[in-house]
């Protein structure tokens, strides 16, 4: 088998372009693995810009040396390279710069700012995070160029790269980042907090269990590729729903697509809340009410694949919800004549047991 054969070639014209790209000899100084990764992306003008720009390929080598051994990071590498490729194309519409190397020349700094802003305003709308990502990539690019210049003994080029970083540190936040961060924060403020309803999650569990038994029976009755595929999809959805982990890039089926397909079929109240990402947040958020010890919370965060600081900062119930739960328990205690249980305690000192908390959350969420 040809080692350059695409893993999942796209149909039609894109597939033909990909195969043609694989037929090209690997450029000098570029590993076969990186060349294969680059040619596995969509074969369009952006891919051509990536392959033809020396600096972008140098960034590719840097990222592949750092993350290439992790297959699930390959898409991240392609994304970073495509971002720079889009900058090269879109930036050429408003500046006279043709290569990424020109974007990190100090004298071109204001042109670079204009190009980044123009690139973020693409055909698919204004990307609020792209200017931040491109800024980080350009700063990293200046570091790579400085290292290359030092190795070659080119003091002027090394100094030029350092000068770009000085400008970046002094002016980028003011000219680019502050606007992007403001837009991102406003989007978060205005976005509704969609967490899965407990009843919807239970309904999805039951639906998947029912379909698993049906598809197992179908496969035993007729060993066809269709029956195997339907069972594989429902099994993948069950694994993601049970583990609340990120989906892998090691399968022919996308876990998020499988979840979305079965959510649409099981007639839940709020299908938009039942995505793989929101299901992860659902578990992490509700775990905050269990009064877990430090080590236990750390184990949960590790299982979910993120740092404990991320768990605390981003996966937490809003304070209003926590306070509502505690106040609801006080009201229930008053109704049951057990208010003395909380005598002398503030809201922060009230510990909610998991059973009672689960009952309250079912009614609230």
């Amino acid at each position: 088998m040809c080692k350059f054969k695409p893993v999942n070639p796209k149909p039609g014209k894109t597939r033909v372009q990909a195969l043609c790209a694989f037929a090209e000899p690997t450029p000098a100084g570029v590993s076969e693995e990186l060349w294969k990764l680059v040619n596995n992306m969509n074969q369009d003008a952006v891919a051509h810009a990536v392959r033809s720009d020396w600096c972008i390929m140098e960034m590719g080598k840097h990222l592949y040396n750092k993350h290439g051994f992790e297959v699930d990071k390959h898409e991240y590498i392609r994304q970073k390279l495509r971002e720079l490729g889009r900058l090269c194309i879109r930036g050429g519409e408003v500046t006279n710069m043709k290569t990424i190397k020109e974007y990190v020349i100090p004298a071109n700094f204001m042109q670079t700012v204009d190009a980044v802003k123009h690139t973020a305003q693409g055909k698919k709308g204004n990307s609020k995070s792209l200017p931040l990502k491109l800024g980080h990539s350009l700063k990293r690019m200046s570091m790579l160029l400085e290292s290359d210049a030092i190795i070659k003994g080119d003091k002027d080029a090394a100094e030029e790269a350092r000068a770009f970083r000085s400008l970046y540190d002094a002016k980028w936040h003011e000219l680019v980042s502050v606007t992007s961060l403001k837009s991102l924060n406003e989007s978060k403020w205005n976005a509704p907090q969609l967490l899965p309803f407990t009843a919807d999650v239970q309904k999805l569990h039951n639906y998947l269990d029912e379909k698993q038994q049906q598809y197992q029976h179908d496969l035993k009755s007729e060993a066809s590729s269709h029956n195997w595929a339907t069972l594989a999809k429902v099994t993948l959805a069950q694994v993601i729903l049970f583990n609340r982990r990120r989906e892998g890039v090691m399968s022919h089926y996308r876990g998020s697509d499988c979840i979305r397909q079965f959510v649409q079929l099981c007639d839940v109240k709020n299908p938009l809340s039942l995505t793989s990402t929101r299901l992860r947040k659902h578990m992490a958020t509700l775990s905050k009410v269990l009064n877990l010890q430090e080590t236990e919370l750390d184990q949960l965060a590790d299982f979910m694949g993120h740092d404990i600081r991320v768990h605390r900062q981003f996966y937490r119930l809003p304070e209003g919800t926590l306070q509502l739960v505690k106040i609801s328990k006080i009201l229930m205690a008053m109704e049951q004549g057990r208010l003395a249980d909380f005598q002398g305690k503030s809201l922060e000192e009230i510990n909610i047991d998991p059973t009672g908390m689960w009952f309250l959350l079912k009614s609230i969420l």
Side-chain angles (χ1 to χ4, degrees), residues 117-135:
K117 291 180 177 179
H118 181 69
T119 302
Q121 297 172 347
K123 293 181 180 179
K124 295 183 179 180
N126 189 6
S127 175
K128 299 177 180 62
S129 62
L130 185 57
L132 301 175
K133 296 176 181 178
L134 286 173

Side-chain angles (χ1 to χ4, degrees), residues 2 17 21 28 32 45 51 86 90 97 108 155 163 169 184 186 274 278 281 283 286 291 298 301 325-326 340 343 359:
C2 176
Q17 290 173 327
E32 294 180 353
R51 288 196 303 268
R86 284 200 297 275
R90 295 277 293 165
M97 296 185 291
N108 295 339
K155 295 182 179 180
D169 293 336
L184 284 171
E186 287 177 350
L274 290 178
R278 289 195 172 106
K281 186 172 184 179
M283 174 184 176
L286 294 186
N291 295 323
D298 190 42
V325 170
K326 292 176 180 179
Q343 183 176 357
F359 173 78

Side-chain angles (χ1 to χ4, degrees), residues 11 54 108 154 174 208 225 233 244 305:
W54 176 82
N108 295 339
D154 189 339
E174 168 193 343
L208 292 175
S225 58
K233 290 178 181 179
R244 300 295 206 275

Side-chain angles (χ1 to χ4, degrees), residues 12-60:
K13 181 180 178 182
T14 300
R15 180 179 181 181
V16 173
Q17 290 173 327
L19 293 174
C20 291
F22 276 106
E24 297 178 12
T26 305
V30 177
S31 67
E32 294 180 353
E33 293 79 7
L34 175 60
W35 191 240
K36 178 180 178 181
L37 182 149
V38 169
N39 287 306
N40 264 332
M41 65 175 63
N42 290 336
Q43 297 306 303
D44 51 14
V46 176
H48 176 74
V50 169
R51 288 196 303 268
S52 59
D53 192 285
W54 176 82
C55 279
I56 298 180
M57 291 304 296
E58 284 297 304
M59 176 68 80

Side-chain angles (χ1 to χ4, degrees), residues 45-107:
V46 176
H48 176 74
V50 169
R51 288 196 303 268
S52 59
D53 192 285
W54 176 82
C55 279
I56 298 180
M57 291 304 296
E58 284 297 304
M59 176 68 80
K61 286 194 281 186
H62 167 72
L63 293 175
Y64 195 87
N65 289 337
K66 189 175 181 180
H67 302 293
F69 63 93
E70 301 177 72
V71 178
D72 60 343
K73 292 290 182 66
H74 287 188
E75 184 57 37
Y76 164 79
I77 298 174
R78 278 190 286 266
Q79 177 187 340
K80 293 289 111 180
L81 299 184
R82 287 186 67 85
E83 287 170 359
L84 290 171
R86 284 200 297 275
L87 176 61
C88 222
I89 294 173
R90 295 277 293 165
E93 298 173 1
V94 293
T95 73
N96 57 6
M97 296 185 291
K98 303 300 181 184
T99 65
I100 287 297
K101 187 174 182 179
E102 295 175 85
Y103 284 77
V104 291
I105 295 176

Side-chain angles (χ1 to χ4, degrees), residues 118-188:
H118 181 69
T119 302
Q121 297 172 347
K123 293 181 180 179
K124 295 183 179 180
N126 189 6
S127 175
K128 299 177 180 62
S129 62
L130 185 57
L132 301 175
K133 296 176 181 178
L134 286 173
H136 292 309
S137 293
L138 290 174
K139 184 176 182 179
R140 183 181 295 181
M141 181 67 71
S142 72
M143 295 177 181
L144 296 179
L145 289 174
E146 181 185 1
S147 300
D148 183 69
I150 291 174
I151 292 173
K152 294 178 179 178
D154 189 339
K155 295 182 179 180
D156 292 338
E159 179 56 36
E160 190 172 67
R162 286 193 292 269
F164 174 84
R165 284 204 305 283
S166 296
L167 275 173
Y168 177 92
D169 293 336
K171 302 292 291 183
W172 194 265
H173 179 77
E174 168 193 343
L175 298 174
V176 180
S177 299
V178 67
T179 304
S180 297
L181 289 171
K182 182 175 182 292
S183 299
L184 284 171
N185 289 333
E186 287 177 350
S187 298
K188 291 178 181 178

